[in-house]
Each structure stands twice: as structure tokens, then as C-alpha cells.
């Protein structure tokens, strides 16, 4: 049941040292294979090519049906799509993103288009882009300082007012759960002062959210959604931004959850906006794209999608992949024009289709075990297949 | 793998009492000091042998938090056995047992066998609930009882197996209609159906679809 395989570089002391030299840090990332990737064959000549060209060449390369059929050879498939350090495409995308977020007024459409391919996790790009995508940073750069100052002082006020009179029951539970957040990562776990202060920040955010949202309060799993945001913002190389990570995370968490909060509301479990209805949508999506697989899962082997998709959906896939891969998936969830929920459902559907061979050969027990312990997957490829599902939907 | 019977279990109890760790110890024989939160349900399966009969246990490990109760409730139906878990070092998890039991009585098969487990027996120095209190609660409510430790594996095997033995005994006494799937029991292929306790020896050649 060990689901998360955290790559060594995430546990590197460079991440947990606030005094680390920025260049060192960049280097340490650059030499490690991040999950974002493209095919190695594209590396040599795409350096200055624009994004559209890359996209076309990728499209020509694979079609979803062929992928699904070739799933039995998934290992080989992964080989050919294997990440091999930051590719030329990554570097080019990094340059495009940097140039986009340096404009006087950010073009959101353009930003979404580039970011949906994955955001290189260097130079604080992801931190800034996520804040823009979540509507926390205004598009007009000249407004950033005043807007940030306003929000951060508002958060300080929340802290002063809401952390004063403790509701011990909820605080104890949040405290226990925060300690269970990514126990395998030094950033979140352990007795080092850095981990302790990070845990404290997560705890404050969850308590304040619970107090401001008495209808939902705190629901387990919110900690898992909070973790990627805080991790990305806290590791922003801009010291001022890193220092304000707690406040920034709070507002972005509220914004992100606004699209999903009904999943955390028990009263809505059976309503059209609740979690059960979202799971039904996933089931319908699968039926639409791969009826054979849908029938085998739900009719023949009686694997109710709730058994696996409940966690996939409520946690936005944060427990199914290693941490770096989850961040990559979130780049797409946050930037896709269709919005996080529709995009999430497409990714979930693609997850099923990618392992269809094994599922079609499996019985109830083996399928459920496989789906509750999703095998390591090339994320770029997964997102590519998910994207194809939209193209198909549109006809 | 072939089996004579398949029993469905559900593991319930407050968050953080060690439900997932008990399951992991039973299915994988290992202990994870800090386990991820369980969101929704997790699934495990293992074969055991009772009275030389191969029995497959299909175990549903549920989320403990109150917010997930409406989801958890749907797993009671069709369970033949339940492990109701509390943490001997946290009094409140013992105090909430009555509410868990009420939920079980309301949503489960009335013949479901329930094993009460006082987990974390290795932390006896931090004990907040005495063994006698656990025994007393179990006796008053007609539950089996064991103190166990997912960390040291003490009594973990026993907890799952004694529950299965109790279910088997109920089958042999004709308490269950094993042909009814909502009993949480499935008869393996090749085994004559019915409540007979006879050792007919017709051990299944092939498991069912869940084999």
C-alpha cells in the first residue's frame, strides 16, 4: 500500500534549506529527471520551434486507440516516452512561460495554452503561474504588489481573529492529519524545524478555512489538496513570496476548492453536484469512449467506480502518483480551459483506458487492487491521452 | 485460488485508531508507522484456513471521519463480519463505540459477526482504556473481543480468524442463508450449497469471479 514513491531529489536537503544558493538549486533540479517530459526523439531539434509544431508532431505519433491496444506493451511504451532530464521542449516552454508572465498584462489564454503542457518547475515559474491560473494574482502585473499586500494583511487578520479561541476537537484532528500528510517527504514530515513550520502553516490554513466555512468545516483529504499548493509556493525562489506562502496558499486553496467543495459536503453526497454524481459522470465518460472496458468493469466484474474513483476525484489524484507527477497533472488541471473538474474526469478516464488490457484480463479482486494502487505511468503520455478524449468528444 | 466460502468484512472505527494498519499487517505482514489517510474505502483480500476449509476474506477498510459516514454506510450491507476498532490510548475512540455499533446495527445484516479490537496494545504505558472495560463493552453488546497491535502483529491474525470462525459456526448452525449475497458470504464453486456443516470434501476447483 505504499503508493507514493518520492524521488530522491524531492527529499534533497537543498529543498529544505532556506539559505540554499538559487543556482545550486536550479542545477540540482536540472540534473534530475523531473516527471515532465516529451519524447526523446524531439529533443534534438525543437529548441527554437514553437509549441504548435511540437504538438502536431506528437499528434502524428500516436493515436489513442493504438495506445490502448498497445497497452500490454506498456513497459516498452514508457521506455520510448521516458523522461530524460529537462528536454528541449521543457526549456522552450520555460522561456515562453517566463516571457508570458513578464508581460505588463498577462494574456490568460496564451498562459493556459502553454501551461497545460506542463510547467517546468524551475525559477519559481510554477508558483507564479498557478497563482495566475487560480485568479489570485491579477493579470495586470502593476497590481501585483498592492494586491498581494492586501491579501496578506487580510490573512494576518484571519489568523489574529480565528486562531485565538480554539475549538479543540477540530484542531486535534487537523493536527493529527497534518502529521499524516506525505510522511515520506522531509518537507512535510519529521522533526526538523523546517518541516515543523510547514506543518504549522498547513494547520493554520485548515483551521481558518474550517472556521470560515462552518457548513463544511474540515474534511479529511483537504490536507492532501493543500499540500501541493503550499509546497510549490513555499519553494518559490523569490524570498518574499516564499515567506508569504502560507497566506498565498490559503487564498489559492479557497479558490481551488470552490470548484470542488461540494465533494466535501456530506449533505450533498447524493445530490447532482455531490461526489456520487461526479463519479457517475466518470462512468458515463468511460462508457462513451470505451464501452467494452466499461462493461467489463461495471457489469462483468462488478467493480463499482466508487471503490476507486472516490479517492481519485476527491483528492484530485494526489494519492495515486508520486508527488512530482501529481504536480504535473495539476498543471493541466489548473490551466485547461474546460476547468479543473472536466479535465480531472478526462484524466481519470484516460487512466482507465491506459491499463485496459490488464483490466480486461482481470477479475474483481485484481482489478480493484490495480485501480487502488495505480501503476507508475508516464504522465505526459497520460495527459496526452486525456486530451485526445476531448478531441474525440467534440467529434 | 479456490475457496469453500468467501466472507466479506468491513473495518470501522474512529479516524487514526489503526484500521488501515491492521489490514496491512494482516494482508502484507508489515507495519507502516504513519499511514496515509484513508479516503473512501481501501480493499484487501487474503486466504485463510479454518477447520481445514479454505476461506477467502475480502476486506473493506473504511474512512473513519464522520464526514464519510454516508459513504461508509453503503459498505455495511453485504458484510458478514466487522472489525470495530478503537485505540486503547485514546479514550474518545472508545466512547464513540456505541455510535459505531448503532450504525452497524442499522445498516448491516443482523447476523453480522462483530469483533471489537482494542488496538495499539504495544502502547500499554499510554493506556487510557482498561482491558476490562473493553471486555465489558463487548460482553454487553454480544461482540467478540481482543486487544491487538498492528505494530507488533500481536493478535492481528487471531482477530481476523476468530471472526471467520464465528461466521463459519453461524453457517453451520444455519443462521445464514448463504445463497443470499447480502449475507456477505459466497459459496465457492463446487461446494454444495446450504447450511450443512458436513465435511463433504467437495472443495472448490476454481474460485468464483472473485478468485
Amino acid at each position: 500500500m505504499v503508493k507514493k514513491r518520492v524521488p530522491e531529489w524531492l527529499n534533497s536537503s537543498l529543498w529544505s534549506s532556506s539559505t540554499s544558493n538559487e543556482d545550486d538549486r536550479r542545477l540540482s533540479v536540472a540534473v534530475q529527471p523531473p516527471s515532465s517530459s516529451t519524447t526523446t526523439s524531439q529533443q534534438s531539434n525543437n529548441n527554437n520551434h514553437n509549441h504548435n509544431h511540437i504538438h502536431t508532431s506528437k499528434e502524428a505519433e500516436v493515436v489513442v486507440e493504438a495506445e490502448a491496444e498497445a497497452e500490454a506493451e506498456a513497459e516498452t511504451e514508457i521506455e520510448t516516452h521516458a523522461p530524460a532530464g529537462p528536454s528541449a521542449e521543457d526549456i522552450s516552454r520555460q522561456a515562453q512561460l517566463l516571457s508570458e508572465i513578464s508581460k505588463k498584462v498577462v494574456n490568460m489564454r496564451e498562459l493556459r495554452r502553454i501551461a497545460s503542457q506542463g510547467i517546468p518547475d524551475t525559477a519559481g515559474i510554477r508558483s507564479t503561474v498557478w497563482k495566475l491560473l487560480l485568479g489570485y494574482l491579477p493579470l495586470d502585473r502593476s497590481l501585483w504588489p498592492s494586491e498581494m499586500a492586501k491579501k496578506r494583511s487580510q490573512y494576518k487578520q484571519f489568523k489574529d481573529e480565528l486562531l485565538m479561541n480554539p475549538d479543540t476537537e477540530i484542531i486535534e484532528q487537523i493536527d493529527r492529519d497534518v502529521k499524516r500528510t506525505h510522511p515520506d517527504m522531509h518537507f512535510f514530515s519529521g522533526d526538523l524545524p523546517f518541516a515543523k513550520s510547514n506543518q504549522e502553516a498547513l494547520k493554520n490554513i485548515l483551521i481558518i478555512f474550517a472556521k470560515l466555512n462552518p457548513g463544511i468545516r474540515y474534511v479529511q483529504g483537504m490536507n492532501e489538496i493543500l499540500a501541493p499548493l503550499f509546497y510549490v509556493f513555499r519553494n518559490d525562489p523569490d524570498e518574499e513570496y516564499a515567506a508569504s506562502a502560507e497566506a498565498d496558499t490559503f487564498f489559492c486553496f479557497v479558490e481551488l476548492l470552490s470548484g470542488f467543495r461540494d465533494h466535501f459536503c456530506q449533505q450533498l453526497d447524493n445530490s447532482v453536484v455531490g461526489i456520487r454524481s461526479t463519479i457517475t459522470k466518470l462512468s458515463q465518460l468511460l462508457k462513451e469512449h470505451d464501452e467494452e472496458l466499461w462493461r467489463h468493469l461495471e457489469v462483468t466484474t462488478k467493480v463499482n467506480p466508487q471503490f476507486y474513483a472516490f479517492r481519485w476525484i476527491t483528492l484530485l489524484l494526489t494519492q495515486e502518483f508520486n508527488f512530482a507527477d501529481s504536480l504535473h497533472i495539476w498543471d493541466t488541471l489548473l490551466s485547461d480551459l474546460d476547468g479543473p473538474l472536466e479535465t480531472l474526469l478526462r484524466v481519470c478516464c484516460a487512466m482507465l483506458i491506459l491499463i485496459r488490457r490488464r483490466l480486461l484480463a482481470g477479475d474483481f479482486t485484481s482489478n480493484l487492487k490495480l485501480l487502488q494502487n495505480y501503476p507508475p505511468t508516464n504522465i505526459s503520455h497520460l495527459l496526452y491521452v486525456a486530451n485526445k478524449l476531448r478531441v474525440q468528444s467534440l467529434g | 485460488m479456490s475457496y469453500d466460502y468467501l466472507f466479506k468484512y468491513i473495518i470501522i472505527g474512529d479516524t487514526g485508531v489503526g484500521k488501515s494498519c491492521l489490514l496491512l499487517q494482516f494482508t502484507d505482514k508489515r507495519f507502516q508507522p504513519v499511514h496515509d489517510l484513508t479516503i473512501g474505502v481501501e480493499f484487501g483480500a487474503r486466504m485463510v484456513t479454518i477447520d481445514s476449509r479454505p476461506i477467502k476474506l475480502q476486506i473493506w477498510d473504511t474512512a473513519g471521519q464522520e464526514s464519510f459516514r454516508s459513504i461508509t454506510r453503503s459498505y455495511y450491507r453485504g458484510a458478514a463480519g466487522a472489525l470495530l476498532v478503537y485505540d486503547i490510548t485514546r479514550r474518545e475512540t472508545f466512547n464513540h463505540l456505541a455510535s459505531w455499533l448503532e450504525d452497524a446495527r442499522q445498516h448491516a445484516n443482523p447476523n453480522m459477526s462483530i469483533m471489537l479490537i482494542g488496538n495499539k496494545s504495544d502502547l500499554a504505558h499510554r493506556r487510557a482504556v482498561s482491558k476490562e472495560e473493553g471486555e465489558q463493552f463487548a460482553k454487553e453488546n454480544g461482540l467478540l473481543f481482543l486487544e491487538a497491535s498492528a505494530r507488533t502483529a500481536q493478535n492481528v491474525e487471531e482477530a481476523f480468524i476468530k471472526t471467520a470462525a464465528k461466521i463459519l459456526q453461524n453457517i453451520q448452525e444455519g443462521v445464514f442463508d448463504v445463497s443470499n449475497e447480502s449475507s456477505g458470504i459466497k459459496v465457492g464453486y463446487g461446494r454444495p450449497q446450504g447450511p450443512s456443516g458436513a465435511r463433504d470434501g467437495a472443495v472448490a476447483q476454481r474460485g468464483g469471479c472473485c478468485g
Side-chain angles (χ1 to χ4, degrees):
Chain A
M1 284 192 196
V2 179
K3 290 178 288 280
K4 298 183 205 101
R5 300 154 301 101
V6 174
E8 271 308 301
W9 61 271
L10 276 180
N11 278 332
S12 158
S13 59
L14 288 167
W15 292 100
S16 47
S17 158
S18 50
T19 55
S20 80
N21 172 313
E22 202 189 305
D23 286 332
D24 279 352
R25 183 147 97 190
R26 203 172 297 176
L27 184 65
S28 82
V29 175
V31 294
Q32 298 293 340
S35 60
S36 62
S37 65
T38 179
T39 58
T40 43
S41 61
Q42 289 167 358
Q43 281 188 20
S44 53
N45 57 2
N46 277 338
N47 208 354
N48 298 313
H49 285 31
N50 69 29
H51 166 82
N52 285 336
H53 174 80
I54 291 161
H55 193 69
T56 322
S57 76
K58 260 189 153 180
E59 264 181 7
E61 212 174 82
V62 256
V63 281
V64 66
E65 293 84 356
E67 280 316 309
E69 284 308 312
E71 190 271 324
E73 285 79 50
E75 300 309 313
T76 344
E77 199 61 48
I78 287 164
E79 287 304 313
T80 55
H81 288 256
S87 64
E89 191 190 341
D90 278 345
I91 293 162
S92 137
R93 201 159 54 236
Q94 175 177 342
Q96 290 179 60
L97 283 167
L98 266 177
S99 120
E100 193 55 53
I101 60 181
S102 310
K103 282 183 184 157
K104 221 174 136 220
V105 179
V106 175
N107 179 336
M108 186 54 109
R109 218 188 154 74
E110 202 44 26
L111 186 71
R112 286 184 184 280
R113 186 183 66 74
I114 310 166
S116 65
Q117 305 295 308
I119 304 171
D121 194 12
T122 46
I125 296 180
R126 181 177 265 146
S127 170
T128 305
V129 172
W130 280 16
K131 286 180 189 124
L132 282 160
L133 292 171
L134 285 163
Y136 180 57
L137 279 174
L139 298 179
D140 183 342
R141 272 188 74 102
S142 65
L143 299 175
W144 288 10
S146 60
E147 191 63 23
M148 291 300 98
K150 205 172 84 190
K151 285 293 204 308
R152 288 162 186 171
S153 105
Q154 193 184 349
Y155 182 74
K156 190 178 173 301
Q157 209 179 329
F158 285 150
K159 273 178 95 166
D160 292 344
E161 286 167 14
L162 299 172
L163 297 180
M164 288 297 278
N165 39 4
D167 165 356
T168 46
E169 195 190 324
I170 201 149
I171 289 177
E172 276 173 23
Q173 165 147 39
I174 289 173
D175 192 40
R176 274 197 303 270
D177 290 356
V178 162
K179 289 187 180 129
R180 291 171 71 179
T181 308
H182 297 289
D184 47 358
M185 287 174 69
H186 296 324
F187 180 87
F188 292 108
S189 181
D191 291 324
L192 290 173
F194 187 63
K196 287 278 171 221
S197 80
N198 291 339
Q199 288 180 6
E200 199 59 30
L202 295 182
K203 209 171 116 179
N204 291 340
I205 294 169
L206 289 169
I207 293 169
I208 291 169
F209 181 87
K211 293 216 172 179
L212 291 175
N213 296 273
I216 298 183
R217 307 226 311 161
Y218 165 73
V219 179
Q220 285 185 332
M222 286 180 177
N223 56 321
E224 302 282 349
I225 292 184
L226 193 54
L229 293 173
F230 184 70
Y231 177 88
V232 167
F233 298 164
R234 185 70 186 82
N235 284 305
D236 194 314
D238 180 313
E239 275 176 25
E240 187 203 322
Y241 274 85
S244 302
E246 185 181 322
D248 296 350
T249 303
F250 172 79
F251 290 102
C252 288
F253 175 69
V254 170
E255 182 55 37
L256 177 60
L257 215 60
S258 71
F260 293 104
R261 55 187 286 155
D262 295 338
H263 293 161
F264 287 97
C265 186
Q266 193 181 167
Q267 285 74 30
L268 297 175
D269 276 349
N270 294 311
S271 77
V272 287
V273 291
I275 181 66
R276 283 181 206 266
S277 146
T278 305
I279 292 172
T280 303
K281 280 187 198 152
L282 171 61
S283 169
Q284 285 162 352
L285 194 63
L286 178 65
K287 189 177 179 189
E288 187 184 317
H289 288 285
D290 191 342
E291 189 164 352
E292 184 190 8
L293 179 57
W294 173 85
R295 191 170 302 283
H296 181 77
L297 278 178
E298 295 193 24
V299 182
T300 311
T301 60
K302 297 200 165 50
V303 176
N304 181 332
Q306 187 184 292
F307 298 160
Y308 57 89
F310 186 89
R311 187 176 74 199
W312 289 10
I313 291 169
T314 51
L315 300 189
L316 310 183
L317 296 174
T318 51
Q319 268 193 17
E320 315 311 319
F321 303 97
N322 72 49
F323 194 71
D325 284 351
S326 303
L327 299 185
H328 187 179
I329 292 176
W330 275 36
D331 291 339
T332 301
L333 296 187
L334 296 180
S335 55
D336 196 289
L337 273 173
D338 287 348
L341 182 58
E342 291 301 312
T343 312
L344 175 68
L345 291 178
R346 273 203 302 271
V347 176
C348 290
C349 188
M351 285 166 66
L352 295 166
I353 291 173
L354 277 182
I355 55 169
R356 75 187 300 277
R357 271 282 172 87
R358 285 164 78 176
L359 291 171
L360 286 172
D363 59 18
F364 175 84
T365 300
S366 63
N367 281 349
L368 197 46
K369 282 187 176 168
L370 182 62
L371 293 167
Q372 289 198 344
N373 303 280
Y374 196 82
T377 302
N378 180 278
I379 299 300
S380 298
H381 183 56
L382 171 66
L383 295 172
Y384 173 74
V385 172
N387 192 47
K388 292 296 284 185
L389 297 179
R390 164 187 25 226
V391 176
Q392 273 196 346
S393 291
L394 293 175
Chain B
M1 280 275 265
S2 62
Y3 54 81
D4 277 13
Y5 291 109
L6 180 152
F7 297 161
K8 284 189 196 170
Y9 281 17
I10 178 172
I11 311 182
I12 52 175
D14 276 9
T15 171
V17 297
K19 298 180 293 295
S20 301
C21 290
L22 286 166
L23 176 60
L24 190 64
Q25 183 59 260
F26 180 65
T27 57
D28 291 32
K29 301 206 187 309
R30 61 190 175 90
F31 178 68
Q32 203 173 325
V34 188
H35 200 284
D36 293 325
L37 290 171
T38 303
I39 305 297
V41 289
E42 291 201 25
F43 174 80
R46 209 191 105 179
M47 293 289 295
V48 294
T49 307
I50 294 164
D51 289 350
S52 60
R53 288 172 180 278
I55 290 172
K56 179 165 179 160
L57 301 183
Q58 192 183 78
I59 305 146
W60 297 89
D61 168 31
T62 65
Q65 201 196 17
E66 179 70 34
S67 316
F68 295 108
R69 287 264 184 126
S70 75
I71 301 291
T72 309
R73 282 187 189 117
S74 59
Y75 292 86
Y76 283 105
R77 216 157 39 89
L83 306 186
L84 170 55
V85 187
Y86 68 95
D87 173 352
I88 66 158
T89 72
R90 271 168 58 211
R91 184 86 208 170
E92 72 271 21
T93 66
F94 181 77
N95 295 340
H96 294 156
L97 289 177
S99 135
W100 282 109
L101 208 51
E102 194 187 312
D103 239 33
R105 302 270 190 237
Q106 211 172 75
H107 299 277
N109 183 317
N111 299 313
M112 181 169 78
S113 300
I114 304 177
M115 166 70 77
L116 179 66
I117 300 180
N119 190 32
K120 309 196 186 179
S121 63
D122 54 295
L123 300 178
H125 56 288
R126 276 167 45 196
R127 180 186 282 280
V129 183
S130 73
K131 191 172 177 183
E132 290 68 36
E133 284 175 284
E135 274 166 354
Q136 180 68 19
F137 184 91
K139 200 171 150 197
E140 282 167 8
N141 293 282
L143 319 176
L144 301 164
F145 175 70
L146 278 175
E147 281 196 348
S149 166
R151 181 186 295 270
T152 66
Q154 190 205 8
N155 276 344
V156 172
E157 193 84 4
E158 289 79 354
F160 283 86
I161 286 178
K162 283 192 172 159
T163 310
K166 175 75 181 167
I167 297 168
L168 195 61
Q169 186 195 335
N170 282 342
I171 292 173
Q172 289 166 347
E173 288 171 2
V175 173
F176 283 114
D177 172 10
V178 290
S179 62
N180 181 349
E181 282 234 351
S182 75
S183 66
I185 296 164
K186 217 156 120 181
V187 181
Y189 283 15
R191 218 201 96 81
Q193 303 219 348
S196 156
R199 291 280 185 81
D200 43 52
V203 171
Q205 295 300 306
R206 269 283 293 135
C209 71
C210 305

